[in-house]
Amino acid sequence: GSKIVYSHGETLWVVNADGTNETALGVNGRYPAWSPDGKMIAFQSFRDGNGEIYVMDTSGFGQRNLTSNIATDGRPVWSPDGALIAFESDRDGNDGVYVMNADGTEPVNLSNRLGRDFNPAWSPDGASIVFTTSRYGALELAIMDADGSNVRQLTDNDAVSFRPAWSPDGLTIAFESSVGGEFGIYFI
């Protein structure tokens, strides 16, 4: 796209991809994510006392809370077709990966397990979600089908591996890790 949305502190900003026209949206939030059609931004905000997921238009107006509950919900990511939003939540007592309709209805826990599952990222074809998990001991990456089935471990090391992101062609996953004792960006 031609614009980038990001958070600095607890404020959301939009800037042209070339770095010009940086504009504060006047919105308290973090972890912003563009909808695939470029018309909406999903983000996490603590304005209600706990982390909730909101959506708004790209100018910061029309803000709606999608996850009004007592849990902490965060790191929203849109499915490639824009119909769903994956997110992390502790609403069942553990950090888990959830999916809901883009209007906030029908949240489903895809993890359903003890431990931590978080940092979800959709594959470009929408068929899979890669995520960070503690289910194998150290923080590792795992992948599952978009319905939560067929979970497979992707990394297996004594280092911390997290924040996965797919390449646009879906052939590579970049992630941050402390392999070798130094944090860096790695690819699988």
Side-chain angles (χ1 to χ4, degrees):
S2 62
K3 294 191 179 276
I4 298 167
V5 62
Y6 68 96
S7 61
H8 179 72
E10 292 291 323
T11 301
L12 299 182
W13 295 74
V14 173
V15 64
N16 291 336
D18 66 4
T20 61
N21 199 27
E22 186 176 45
T23 306
L25 295 177
V27 175
N28 174 288
R30 58 167 95 168
Y31 308 119
W34 290 106
S35 63
D37 65 8
K39 295 180 180 177
M40 301 292 289
I41 298 170
F43 62 98
Q44 179 187 39
S45 178
F46 284 85
R47 69 183 70 173
D48 299 326
N50 63 306
E52 300 288 359
I53 297 173
Y54 285 76
V55 293
M56 65 183 176
D57 67 26
T58 59
S59 61
F61 294 102
Q63 297 176 36
R64 291 188 330 269
N65 182 339
L66 299 183
T67 60
S68 184
N69 65 65
I70 62 170
T72 298
D73 301 313
R75 295 185 189 261
V77 288
W78 297 85
S79 62
D81 65 4
L84 302 170
I85 297 175
F87 63 101
E88 61 187 48
S89 178
D90 64 1
R91 60 180 62 195
D92 288 335
N94 305 313
D95 290 328
V97 174
Y98 288 71
V99 172
M100 65 182 165
N101 292 326
D103 65 2
T105 60
E106 300 182 36
V108 175
N109 183 342
L110 299 182
S111 298
N112 289 314
R113 61 167 307 281
L114 296 175
R116 297 182 65 205
D117 292 339
F118 58 104
N119 290 146
W122 290 93
S123 62
D125 64 3
S128 302
I129 298 172
V130 63
F131 59 99
T132 304
T133 184
S134 67
R135 63 179 70 197
Y136 308 111
L139 292 180
E140 301 286 357
L141 298 185
I143 189 170
M144 63 183 155
D145 293 348
D147 65 1
S149 65
N150 197 23
V151 177
R152 290 130 13 239
Q153 184 175 357
L154 291 180
T155 59
D156 185 10
N157 54 56
D158 291 329
V160 173
S161 299
F162 59 105
R163 295 191 185 122
W166 292 85
S167 62
D169 63 8
L171 299 177
T172 305
I173 298 170
F175 62 99
E176 188 174 349
S177 184
S178 62
V179 172
E182 294 287 327
F183 278 97
I185 304 298
Y186 295 84
F187 303 92
I188 50 176

